Amino acid sequence: MSYFKYENINIYYRVSGEGRPLVIIHGDTASSKMFIPELKFYSKNFKVILLDLVGQGKSQRVDKLPLNYWHFNSTLIIELCKHIGISDVNLLGTSGGAIVALNAVLKQPNLFNRIIVDSFMGENLSYEFAKKIVDDRKIAKNKLGSKLFWFIMHGFDWKNVIDQNTNLIIDFSRNIGNFFNYELSNIENNVLITGSSKDDLIPNVQSTLKAINLKMKNSKLVIFENGNHPAMFSNKEEFRNLVLEFLS
């Protein structure tokens, strides 16, 4: 296992493969374990870096997640790249990881090359949608499939990990709401935006991602007709081919 310290917090990461660097970022309540099949696939072509965001997976737990969580983790990504000694980095983020990826590019665009952002909720988190997430998670916590997934992602303290993130989402929606401190139109990197029209977690995801696509100068939007959340898994083969083409 490899760890580095960020803000005095031990952050877990792993590196596999050779070539141009590709950092893959998981979403809220998940961990890098969800990307093990993708690690095996992409490491044939890239130096793949996986990590667990603050308070999740094998990374150190904290008493309370920072309210600017997606900004906090975007700086983590930047510092991890410097720690490993990589530049011209490709980013692939899904769900909340996509928000982290875009924040990282807004902060330090010259560190990154091409960006893939999949199945995320756009620029804002409304209180109404935050409440829906809370209600959905209450139900999910009683479902065997969800409990097993979270246990695999985080271990025996998975309930605390999920509750901590759920509290964060409510607090963030009340106090901040906007995921980005800068306009997405500032991004000049090439960006691939993907999603599924039948996303079961994000309402109106197609129109949301279309609006994001219109804001960026060098972006391309691909909406899959089938599959659910996230598109990178529910449309795995098509998504992998898209990524290889986009990063070639």
Side-chain angles (χ1 to χ4, degrees):
M1 291 188 194
S2 296
Y3 287 88
F4 87 109
K5 271 200 183 297
Y6 169 65
E7 297 286 328
N8 211 33
I9 301 167
N10 288 318
I11 301 299
Y12 168 81
Y13 73 97
R14 64 183 294 181
V15 181
S16 182
E18 299 292 336
R20 289 169 296 161
L22 171 64
V23 176
I24 306 181
I25 312 168
H26 67 79
D28 294 38
T29 78
S31 77
S32 61
K33 277 190 177 180
M34 71 187 292
F35 295 128
I36 297 304
E38 308 316 299
L39 178 69
K40 293 177 181 177
F41 176 79
Y42 290 115
S43 62
K44 296 172 185 175
N45 297 280
F46 305 98
K47 174 183 278 189
V48 178
I49 298 95
L50 303 183
L51 74 153
D52 291 338
L53 300 180
V54 173
Q56 301 189 67
K58 295 178 182 177
S59 286
Q60 185 177 330
R61 304 294 186 253
V62 291
D63 292 335
K64 186 176 182 181
L65 296 175
L67 186 59
N68 60 346
Y69 185 71
W70 297 272
H71 292 269
F72 189 88
N73 280 298
S74 67
T75 307
L76 185 164
I77 297 295
I78 291 168
E79 293 304 315
L80 175 60
C81 291
K82 293 177 181 178
H83 173 78
I84 297 171
I86 54 176
S87 58
D88 203 28
V89 179
N90 297 307
L91 290 180
L92 193 172
T94 188
S95 196
I99 297 166
V100 173
L102 290 173
N103 271 302
V105 176
L106 285 167
K107 286 181 180 179
Q108 200 155 332
N110 294 334
L111 178 62
F112 302 105
N113 180 26
R114 296 191 167 214
I115 318 300
I116 303 120
V117 285
D118 174 56
S119 302
F120 67 106
M121 64 182 75
E123 295 182 86
N124 303 288
L125 175 60
S126 69
Y127 181 62
E128 290 71 28
F129 186 46
K131 287 194 296 183
K132 179 185 181 300
I133 293 173
V134 171
D135 292 340
D136 289 347
R137 287 186 184 171
K138 282 180 182 177
I139 295 169
K141 283 169 68 177
N142 292 307
K143 289 185 175 180
L144 180 60
S146 301
K147 291 192 285 187
L148 180 60
F149 172 78
W150 284 328
F151 174 75
I152 292 170
M153 293 297 107
H154 308 293
F156 287 103
D157 67 339
W158 68 266
K159 285 184 180 178
N160 290 331
V161 174
I162 305 312
D163 289 344
Q164 203 174 49
N165 185 266
T166 304
N167 292 336
L168 162 73
I169 282 172
I170 283 291
D171 289 346
F172 180 85
S173 69
R174 283 176 173 153
N175 294 287
I176 300 179
N178 194 318
F179 289 117
F180 307 107
N181 288 340
Y182 305 101
E183 290 294 329
L184 293 176
S185 58
N186 291 341
I187 296 177
E188 296 184 354
N189 305 65
N190 289 307
V191 180
L192 173 64
I193 306 167
T194 60
S196 168
S197 62
K198 297 177 181 176
D199 192 304
D200 53 335
L201 292 184
I202 303 173
N204 307 314
V205 68
Q206 192 163 348
S207 59
T208 298
L209 296 182
K210 280 183 179 179
I212 295 290
N213 183 50
L214 289 172
K215 290 197 170 190
M216 289 190 278
K217 303 177 182 71
N218 301 304
S219 61
K220 174 185 178 182
L221 174 64
V222 176
I223 298 291
F224 299 101
E225 288 299 317
N226 298 305
N228 47 38
H229 186 90
M232 73 172 289
F233 291 135
S234 62
N235 294 273
K236 184 177 290 187
E237 297 305 319
E238 297 95 326
F239 184 87
R240 285 176 171 179
N241 289 336
L242 263 179
V243 170
L244 293 181
E245 180 183 356
F246 181 68
L247 298 181
S248 62

